[in-house]
Amino acid sequence: MRKLVLQKKMGRIRRSVQIDAAAPVAGRLVPLQEVADETFSQGYLGEGLAIDPDSGYAASPFDGIVSHIADTKHAVLIRHASGIQVLIHIGVNTVELQGRGFTVLVKTGEAIEQGQPLLEFDLPFIRQAGYSPFAIVIAIKDPLIDAVNCEYRSVRMAEPDVFRIVLKQDH
């Protein structure tokens, strides 16, 4: 869903479009800085959040298109109608599992709906293999993105309006 938001910044009115996104994974939202991976925690790929998962499914945060699926099945990239892309990455360094413990439920290029399951992952297997299972959700860097906002709390998979991607539109 897109919303128009008016903000006052440095003495001028600024219009921005806000993309309200659903929780891709059930669990506890935490700041991205708590993820033990510098690429994510330092925001090199973009702003976002992490979820300490309660279950082994990841769903689409909004209607869009699957633009990429990692060969190792641990990550999927979703493109919103605005052109913004969101990465859903399961676990820290889980690329090393070479796809073991992951099942992809969609195909690259597929149109998907908010809440549609994308990935299934074996949470006990990931933990037993010694990997952090955080679900990392990143709005890939784009000059249109102003901010990614959320309230840190427990969420259900596909719960609507869990995080917001604010897009710049100066006028």
Side-chain angles (χ1 to χ4, degrees), residues 121-129:
F121 53 98
D122 187 337
L123 196 50
F125 172 77
I126 293 168
R127 286 188 172 125
Q128 288 169 351

Side-chain angles (χ1 to χ4, degrees), residues 72-88:
T72 51
K73 305 176 189 175
H74 71 289
V76 62
L77 194 61
I78 307 299
R79 187 176 63 247
H80 184 266
S82 66
I84 296 301
Q85 295 195 89
V86 169
L87 173 68
I88 300 169

Side-chain angles (χ1 to χ4, degrees), residues 45-102:
L45 297 177
E47 290 187 56
L49 54 107
I51 303 171
D52 189 4
D54 289 342
S55 69
Y57 286 93
S60 181
F62 44 70
D63 293 352
I65 302 288
V66 177
S67 54
H68 182 76
I69 299 167
D71 291 339
T72 51
K73 305 176 189 175
H74 71 289
V76 62
L77 194 61
I78 307 299
R79 187 176 63 247
H80 184 266
S82 66
I84 296 301
Q85 295 195 89
V86 169
L87 173 68
I88 300 169
H89 185 285
I90 306 300
V92 175
N93 295 323
T94 50
V95 65
E96 296 170 359
L97 293 173
Q98 295 296 306
R100 291 186 323 270
F102 295 92

Side-chain angles (χ1 to χ4, degrees), residues 25-167:
V25 176
R28 183 178 53 87
L29 293 172
V30 297
L32 199 53
Q33 294 74 20
E34 290 187 19
V35 174
D37 183 312
E38 192 173 295
T39 300
F40 298 120
S41 65
Q42 297 300 310
Y44 295 133
L45 297 177
E47 290 187 56
L49 54 107
I51 303 171
D52 189 4
D54 289 342
S55 69
Y57 286 93
S60 181
F62 44 70
D63 293 352
I65 302 288
V66 177
S67 54
H68 182 76
I69 299 167
D71 291 339
T72 51
K73 305 176 189 175
H74 71 289
V76 62
L77 194 61
I78 307 299
R79 187 176 63 247
H80 184 266
S82 66
I84 296 301
Q85 295 195 89
V86 169
L87 173 68
I88 300 169
H89 185 285
I90 306 300
V92 175
N93 295 323
T94 50
V95 65
E96 296 170 359
L97 293 173
Q98 295 296 306
R100 291 186 323 270
F102 295 92
T103 303
V104 177
L105 306 173
V106 292
K107 294 181 177 125
T108 300
E110 184 176 337
I112 52 172
E113 296 180 359
Q114 180 176 323
Q116 180 177 338
L118 306 170
L119 300 172
E120 182 178 1
F121 53 98
D122 187 337
L123 196 50
F125 172 77
I126 293 168
R127 286 188 172 125
Q128 288 169 351
Y131 295 92
S132 168
F134 275 121
I136 300 154
V137 183
I138 303 285
I140 299 298
K141 279 191 178 181
D142 188 297
L144 290 177
I145 297 175
D146 190 28
V148 176
N149 303 315
C150 74
E151 293 177 21
Y152 299 108
R153 60 187 177 85
S154 291
V155 295
R156 297 178 322 275
M157 184 180 84
E159 180 179 331
D161 303 332
V162 165
F163 69 99
R164 293 154 299 288
I165 303 169
V166 181
L167 306 179

